[in-house]
Amino acid sequence: MQTDILIQSFLDGVYDERLLDVYADETKIYYQRERYINAIKKFEQCYKPGDVELFSAPGRSEIGGNHTDHQNGEVLAASVNLDTIGIVKKTDDNVIRLVSDNYDEIIIRLDDVSVKEKEKETTKALIKGVVSGFLERKYAVGGFQAYITSDVLIGAGLSSSAAFETLIGTILSGLYNCGTVSATEIAIIGQYAENVYFGKPCGLMDQMASSIGNLVHIDFANPEYPYVEKIDFDMEKYGYRLCITDTKGSHADLTDEYAAIPKEMKLVAKYFGKEVLRDISINDVLDNITDLRKKFGDRCVLRALHFIYENKRVQKEVSALKAENIGAFLDDVKASGNSSFKYLQNVYSNQDIKNQNVSLALFVSEMFLGQNGVCRVHGGGFAGTIQAFVKNGYVENYKYEMDKIFGKDSCKDLRIRKYGGIKVL
């Protein structure tokens, strides 16, 4: 559709129903309307008015399975209504031209999408990686012009990179493959782009949640071909909303803390002749606990026990959602948070005990919410964000209290959106 017609249609509210369908929050319709209008105008400034298509890919939130994926475990994740959007025009010159927010234009000629060391950790590398992944799977690719903008919070555990990868994959699927590339394939291609081209050894959870949408249960027993199950569940219908609070803790110098978790888990697995903890039972650990403690220390044992129970907890959460038992689901969310704090021990850094932003956020959340919600550490831990499921009627008060402590707009009232990567219009 022509850019001038799209702008006027957004102004006239023609697409308000579509925006509500995608973003699941009536209070944000005006914001999304203005956001799309501004993005289309930016596209016009970069590439002139023309016939364009609109695409979107969401950020994600880990719901269950804290540090389980790297042990071939199970996770429960969800797409949220913060997303990366693209205003896109198909071209016939075999060149991708892309401007992302206020950054310089990226130009990629599709006759050379080879890996280049100097491009590691760049947006260009991610785009080339997705294109390469499509080509390896014999899908069609081609040129386009795009203006891309995102409101996925960077550094808040919502995975802005996975949203970007999913968006590029969804654009190529929509423009050149009639939308036939599956959400799972787009996710696997996104992981490939991040691993091989960008140079980050990430798992597949982020890309799966962004690409597939809604709540998604992923079992990494076979990490090359994970089992993926989409779960349709309207959280707000059952009286709760998802809130993410950025506690403003620094992630600097935490690499060793993050790396220690899979390292220590794998030490216990290796004791039993395994690479990962997936096939280790609670009885295996308890029957050998004296020797395990002597060889590796208590924290390794506690982290292994966390994994075993957390993996089962994901299964219980999935069963509760399928049975529409919100109470049982919330009990397991709370239990996941307790286990992460006590046994996984990823809520604050032992190297910086003066700063315990996440611990403080969990305490005040429990104090403010009482019986009106549950909370847990979100994502990797040690700094950053917490997650809370809050009764609808208490959300505004909760946001006010958290913002008072951690700063204006620290607490985001999100919705679990039912779509992953999609063509919006």
Side-chain angles (χ1 to χ4, degrees):
M1 188 177 295
Q2 293 295 316
T3 49
D4 58 341
I5 296 173
L6 276 171
I7 289 171
Q8 190 59 53
S9 296
F10 274 111
L11 285 169
D12 293 341
V14 172
Y15 301 123
D16 284 3
E17 188 174 337
R18 176 59 169 162
L19 293 175
L20 179 59
D21 182 45
V22 173
Y23 295 99
D25 186 351
E26 194 167 7
T27 68
K28 296 292 175 63
I29 297 298
Y30 177 79
Y31 162 75
Q32 294 294 352
R33 191 193 299 166
E34 290 296 302
R35 182 171 172 242
Y36 275 91
I37 289 171
N38 290 334
I40 295 167
K41 289 179 177 178
K42 286 280 192 179
F43 176 91
E44 289 182 327
Q45 291 170 14
C46 295
Y47 299 112
K48 299 180 181 178
D51 191 18
V52 298
E53 298 176 44
L54 279 52
F55 294 86
S56 160
R60 72 99 183 103
S61 178
E62 171 207 290
I63 306 297
N66 198 217
H67 281 279
T68 53
D69 58 339
H70 51 67
Q71 299 300 302
N72 294 8
E74 301 186 39
V75 298
L76 178 64
S79 59
V80 297
N81 62 339
L82 298 176
D83 67 340
T84 301
I85 63 173
I87 314 302
V88 184
K89 180 181 179 180
K90 186 176 181 180
T91 62
D92 57 7
D93 57 1
N94 217 35
V95 177
I96 292 175
R97 293 179 172 84
L98 182 149
V99 175
S100 180
D101 285 314
N102 297 316
Y103 293 95
D104 293 337
E105 183 185 47
I106 296 169
I107 300 175
I108 297 171
R109 289 173 173 80
L110 299 182
D111 56 359
D112 179 16
V113 291
S114 59
V115 179
K116 289 185 169 55
E117 194 64 31
K118 66 181 181 180
E119 292 175 352
K120 291 284 178 75
E121 299 185 16
T122 67
T123 302
K124 187 173 187 176
L126 289 178
I127 300 168
K128 287 176 67 175
V130 173
V131 172
S132 175
F134 268 67
L135 290 172
E136 284 190 7
R137 287 161 178 78
K138 310 301 181 187
Y139 287 116
V141 300
F144 62 83
Q145 298 169 339
Y147 175 77
I148 288 177
T149 185
S150 179
D151 62 4
V152 181
L153 305 174
I154 297 173
L158 298 175
S159 198
S160 54
S161 60
F164 183 85
E165 295 149 15
T166 298
L167 181 69
I168 299 301
T170 304
I171 289 169
L172 289 173
S173 176
L175 294 184
Y176 290 101
N177 298 276
C178 301
T180 59
V181 186
S182 73
T184 297
E185 283 183 289
I186 288 174
I188 291 170
I189 290 169
Q191 183 199 25
Y192 164 78
E194 195 152 343
N195 290 174
V196 177
Y197 279 72
F198 190 82
K200 179 183 176 182
C202 69
L204 190 56
M205 176 181 71
D206 295 350
Q207 290 83 3
M208 283 290 196
S210 179
S211 186
I212 292 171
N214 212 327
L215 286 148
V216 58
H217 169 220
I218 312 167
D219 186 342
F220 292 103
N222 181 349
E224 297 298 319
Y225 300 96
Y227 168 79
V228 181
E229 177 184 22
K230 186 173 180 179
I231 300 168
D232 293 313
F233 187 88
D234 185 349
M235 197 69 62
E236 194 168 7
K237 175 183 173 183
Y238 290 87
Y240 286 84
R241 300 217 294 262
L242 171 64
C243 294
I244 298 289
T245 299
D246 182 359
T247 70
K248 309 297 171 62
S250 173
H251 288 83
D253 302 321
L254 289 174
T255 300
D256 290 345
E257 295 275 20
Y258 292 125
I261 293 176
K263 180 181 178 181
E264 292 180 8
M265 287 183 175
K266 287 180 179 181
L267 284 174
V268 176
K270 191 174 181 181
Y271 177 90
F272 296 99
K274 304 290 186 180
E275 287 293 318
V276 292
L277 286 172
R278 172 68 189 229
D279 298 320
I280 308 303
S281 72
I282 185 67
N283 288 333
D284 289 333
V285 175
L286 293 179
D287 288 346
N288 295 275
I289 198 164
T290 301
D291 199 33
L292 286 168
R293 292 179 66 199
K294 187 184 300 183
K295 278 185 166 62
F296 308 124
D298 289 337
R299 192 172 73 170
C300 286
V301 175
L302 287 167
R303 284 176 164 172
L305 292 170
H306 162 83
F307 168 81
I308 294 167
Y309 274 90
E310 183 76 351
N311 213 40
K312 292 179 180 178
R313 199 172 287 120
V314 171
Q315 298 167 8
K316 291 172 64 180
E317 288 175 342
V318 170
S319 295
L321 290 173
K322 289 179 177 179
E324 301 185 358
N325 187 341
I326 188 72
F329 167 74
L330 293 173
D331 286 344
D332 284 313
V333 170
K334 184 175 182 179
S336 173
N338 285 338
S339 182
S340 294
F341 205 149
K342 295 176 184 176
Y343 313 126
L344 183 61
Q345 299 177 36
N346 70 329
V347 171
Y348 64 90
S349 169
N350 287 319
Q351 309 305 313
D352 184 19
I353 59 173
K354 288 185 177 180
N355 294 302
Q356 299 190 27
N357 304 53
V358 174
S359 305
L360 180 62
L362 293 170
F363 172 81
V364 295
S365 292
E366 290 183 353
M367 182 179 70
F368 291 145
L369 292 174
Q371 300 300 310
N372 299 305
V374 298
C375 60
R376 68 192 282 272
V377 64
H378 184 247
F382 299 110
T385 57
I386 71 160
Q387 173 189 88
F389 288 96
V390 183
K391 281 186 179 178
N392 294 344
Y394 290 84
V395 170
E396 290 306 315
N397 183 57
Y398 177 69
K399 284 178 58 184
Y400 172 79
E401 298 292 354
M402 298 303 280
D403 285 354
K404 207 162 59 169
I405 296 169
F406 298 105
K408 181 176 171 55
D409 293 327
S410 295
C411 183
K412 300 292 184 182
D413 169 22
L414 304 180
R415 302 292 189 277
I416 296 174
R417 88 175 204 175
K418 60 186 177 182
Y419 298 111
I422 56 166
K423 178 180 173 180
V424 178
L425 293 169

